[in-house]
Amino acid sequence: MRSAEAVDPGFETRNVLLLSVDVGLRGYSEAAGRLFFTRAIERLKTVPDVRAASFAWSLPLAGDSTSIRVAAEGYVPRSENERLFVSYSAVGPDYFRAMSTPIVSGRAFDDTDTATTTPVVIVNETLARRLWPNDTPIGKRVRLGDAPSSEVEVVGVARDGKYQLLGELATEYLFLPHAQHYGGLVTLIARTDGPPAALAT
């Protein structure tokens, strides 16, 4: 237990309040769901003691990660038959500040990353080292899945974390902007200055 408590999960575990919601179960259309999430975050940010607010459909250590096949510009496969599958999450603007996960290179997602702008991605340090060991990942193109039209541009590198288990070795991971990969099931995140339970109501 002491060893587990000493593990750095890649995010700050204290002073954070989480609330999962599935607007699809309430019959929300995609347009209505997008509006709901936007307004929910706007309202969360007005609550006293809330320092940052965002959302994600898969959180670290939640046990619900999904993976996707990745092919990257300039990457040489380790073997002829290599197929690289990487776990990922779709997250809202300000996610990395709300989770206290540093962006070590490039930028985080923001409100300019929309469904009509250039598709983008943020990779973690391990994935960046694997795909571009001797080059900067910022500006590189990555294809997600098998469709040629599914290319995204790397705009940032996030610090490594633990995604499935506290004891896991460094593993590849990527983040997509929720605005470009909509889903009705998300977890709202409120980073607080004081005890989060006091803000639950």
Side-chain angles (χ1 to χ4, degrees), residues 15 17 44 47-51 190-201:
N15 290 11
L17 187 66
L44 271 175
V47 175
D49 284 341
V50 171
R51 187 191 322 163
R191 172 68 57 187
T192 66
D193 287 322
L199 304 180
T201 301

Side-chain angles (χ1 to χ4, degrees), residues 117-141:
T117 58
T118 301
V120 293
V121 65
I122 289 173
V123 300
N124 74 346
E125 294 171 295
T126 297
L127 182 56
R129 284 192 298 267
R130 177 165 182 176
L131 296 180
W132 305 284
N134 302 308
D135 199 359
T136 175
I138 306 303
K140 291 291 192 298
R141 306 290 295 179

